[in-house]
Amino acid sequence: MTKRHKSGVTLIEILIDIAIVGLLAAIILSSINSAKVKTRNSQRNSDTKQLLNAFSLGLANSPIPSTGGSWACVSSSCYGGWSPFVANSTVDSYISPYITKPTDPANSSRGYGGYLYNSSYGATGYDGTVFPTGAYIIWLLETNPTPTSCGAGSIFAIQSNYVQCFLKVN
């Protein structure tokens, strides 16, 4: 008598293969999401450097625009919880010859965003850093992964879903 070997795969083998494919897909999707966050944060830091340059170029021609100590949205780019901050036409006119309108790459996980400007603000950051009174730009970075730098600016506050960055204009 000869023994016949059955060819094929078992249900267990199929389930293991499906689990491995699912695990690999989860790892790839996580990496893609992390890359998207890094790209959006990089864009925000780049926009802020351009804003700093625009304010610096404007200073050569006229004094820095005043917001009367209030926060103003730069170029109507604010959304979510920052949408009550309206654009200041004087500020927008001041930077418009030197920069195109910055647009914060929206992400709902932070709840709000954009770029805010205040001509007369001073505060102390989360780590005790003293930010002397002056003109500042603030913006938010996403926290997945948590950024360790705000580009040209300084980290002002760290929350569970964002890092708030400060940049002194003058």
Side-chain angles (χ1 to χ4, degrees):
M1 296 194 154
T2 60
K3 291 186 177 182
R4 291 187 187 176
H5 292 282
K6 293 183 179 180
S7 61
V9 287
T10 66
L11 182 59
I12 298 287
E13 291 171 325
I14 291 172
L15 291 174
I16 290 173
D17 290 344
I18 290 171
I20 291 171
V21 169
L23 180 64
L24 291 174
I27 291 170
I28 290 170
L29 289 175
S30 175
S31 296
I32 289 171
N33 186 45
S34 178
K36 286 179 181 181
V37 168
K38 286 179 182 179
T39 300
R40 288 191 297 264
N41 283 345
S42 177
Q43 178 64 46
R44 291 177 182 109
N45 285 334
S46 175
D47 285 349
T48 308
K49 286 179 189 175
Q50 291 178 22
L51 283 168
L52 177 62
N53 289 337
F55 278 106
S56 296
L57 290 169
L59 277 170
N61 300 318
S62 61
I64 199 147
S66 175
T67 60
S70 299
W71 288 101
C73 188
V74 177
S75 300
S76 301
S77 63
C78 298
Y79 60 90
W82 279 2
S83 57
F85 295 107
V86 296
N88 181 305
S89 60
T90 306
V91 173
D92 289 346
S93 296
Y94 188 84
I95 64 172
S96 65
Y98 314 107
I99 187 174
T100 57
K101 176 183 171 182
T103 304
D104 182 9
N107 179 274
S108 60
S109 69
R110 294 178 305 158
Y112 53 96
Y115 304 96
L116 294 177
Y117 166 78
N118 189 324
S119 62
S120 180
Y121 188 78
T124 302
Y126 81 100
D127 62 355
T129 301
V130 176
F131 296 92
T133 301
Y136 285 92
I137 301 167
I138 65 172
W139 70 102
L140 303 176
L141 299 177
E142 296 171 58
T143 58
N144 184 16
T146 299
T148 56
S149 169
C150 285
S154 300
I155 295 175
F156 181 74
I158 299 176
Q159 302 297 325
S160 61
N161 60 341
Y162 66 84
V163 170
Q164 184 177 359
C165 300
F166 248 46
L167 177 62
K168 192 165 189 328
V169 174
N170 72 339

